[in-house]
Amino acid sequence: MSRATKRKHVVRELLEERVQPAEGQSVVRVLGTPGNNLHEVETAEGTRFLASMPPRFRRHIWIKRGDFLLVDPILEGSKVKAEISLVLLPPHVRSLQRQGLW
């Protein structure tokens, strides 16, 4: 699969996916990017930790400060405590607010 084709599929999946947080997932806000595909994030309670970006998003999706993410917890991590499962775009945020999950 070429790079352009892979990017097309990743972006289409991101745009068409319906957001319904699973058990254990949480919504976090990005505070910064220290490097090596790691992002410093903060939960609604104020807890700060690092979240890793999975290989399928690398080079295809860009995350900047202030974006919202849906993350899965990593239990064995000491510094990196979550893995990004979805980047929440404004339509995703609006649908979560309408559902009362925000």
Side-chain angles (χ1 to χ4, degrees):
M1 182 181 309
S2 72
R3 179 182 281 182
T5 304
K6 184 176 180 182
R7 182 176 185 162
K8 178 178 74 172
H9 289 295
V10 169
V11 171
R12 184 181 326 139
E13 176 187 327
L14 179 70
L15 293 175
E16 293 178 354
E17 188 167 335
R18 297 223 178 237
V19 178
Q20 187 67 30
E23 189 70 31
Q25 288 185 333
S26 59
V27 176
V28 296
R29 185 172 52 101
V30 178
L31 298 176
T33 57
N36 292 335
N37 296 309
L38 296 175
H39 299 279
E40 184 180 0
V41 296
E42 181 180 36
T43 63
E45 294 82 31
T47 308
R48 292 181 175 198
F49 54 88
L50 292 176
S52 66
M53 179 182 280
R56 71 180 179 139
F57 288 147
R58 296 177 188 167
R59 297 185 183 175
H60 303 293
I61 304 295
W62 284 266
I63 298 173
K64 57 187 182 290
R65 195 174 340 142
D67 284 349
F68 291 98
L69 309 171
L70 194 62
V71 296
D72 294 317
I74 298 176
L75 301 177
E76 64 272 356
S78 60
K79 287 186 179 181
V80 180
K81 295 186 179 181
E83 183 177 41
I84 298 170
S85 62
L86 183 66
V87 179
L88 296 176
L89 300 174
H92 296 140
V93 172
R94 283 193 295 274
S95 71
L96 284 173
Q97 288 173 340
R98 274 189 244 122
Q99 295 172 11
L101 300 172
W102 189 256

